[in-house]
Amino acid sequence: MLPARHRMRHGDEFARAIRSGSRGSSRHVVVHLLPASPPHDPTLADPARVGFVVSKAVGGAVQRNKVRRRLREIVRARLSELPDGALVVVRALPSSAAADFAELSDAVERSLGMAIGKAARTGPARRDGGSRG
């Protein structure tokens, strides 16, 4: 389980991260990462917040919940790698249902690395909601 302060709870956060964030993808997952705007005081930076999207295309309820639990555990172990204040959405693709834990872990690590790299190259998040990458 992710700590409460690291969970995304509002639909507008999901929408902002998906529309305006940097994207990294692999065979099993797509990761959207929206870095925080530079804070005025770095000591007050919010922690990164993460949300998961596992649609019915992944499978039935049991399969979707299994994939969601695996993804939560994989991301929980990598919370320290996420930039402070970032919004991260991990979207499971249908192939994730057949993937084992190690495959999903590799896919998340690769996709997250791609998204973080793209976000670093494009600079701070735009406030107008436009896409940069």
Side-chain angles (χ1 to χ4, degrees), residues 23-31 74 78 81 95 99 102-118:
R23 187 177 73 189
S25 62
S26 66
R27 182 175 173 220
H28 301 301
V29 297
V30 176
V31 174
I74 291 165
R78 290 173 172 77
E81 300 171 20
S95 64
E103 286 177 307
L104 272 179
S105 183
D106 289 343
V108 169
E109 188 171 337
R110 235 182 355 266
S111 300
L112 187 57
M114 287 171 55
I116 289 172
K118 286 180 183 178

Side-chain angles (χ1 to χ4, degrees), residues 10-64:
H10 304 287
D12 64 322
E13 292 176 330
F14 280 84
R16 262 189 319 163
I18 290 171
R19 273 197 311 263
S20 302
S22 299
R23 187 177 73 189
S25 62
S26 66
R27 182 175 173 220
H28 301 301
V29 297
V30 176
V31 174
H32 301 270
L33 182 132
L34 181 64
S37 299
H40 300 295
D41 184 359
T43 60
L44 299 176
D46 292 328
R49 291 191 311 278
V50 183
F52 300 91
V53 177
V54 183
S55 73
K56 288 184 179 181
V58 171
V62 172
Q63 193 63 42
R64 290 193 313 269

Side-chain angles (χ1 to χ4, degrees), residues 72-117:
R72 266 198 313 251
E73 178 58 26
I74 291 165
V75 172
R76 187 188 62 75
R78 290 173 172 77
L79 284 174
S80 63
E81 300 171 20
L82 301 177
D84 286 339
L87 297 178
V88 180
V89 175
V90 179
R91 184 166 48 96
L93 299 176
S95 64
S96 64
D100 62 17
F101 189 86
E103 286 177 307
L104 272 179
S105 183
D106 289 343
V108 169
E109 188 171 337
R110 235 182 355 266
S111 300
L112 187 57
M114 287 171 55
I116 289 172

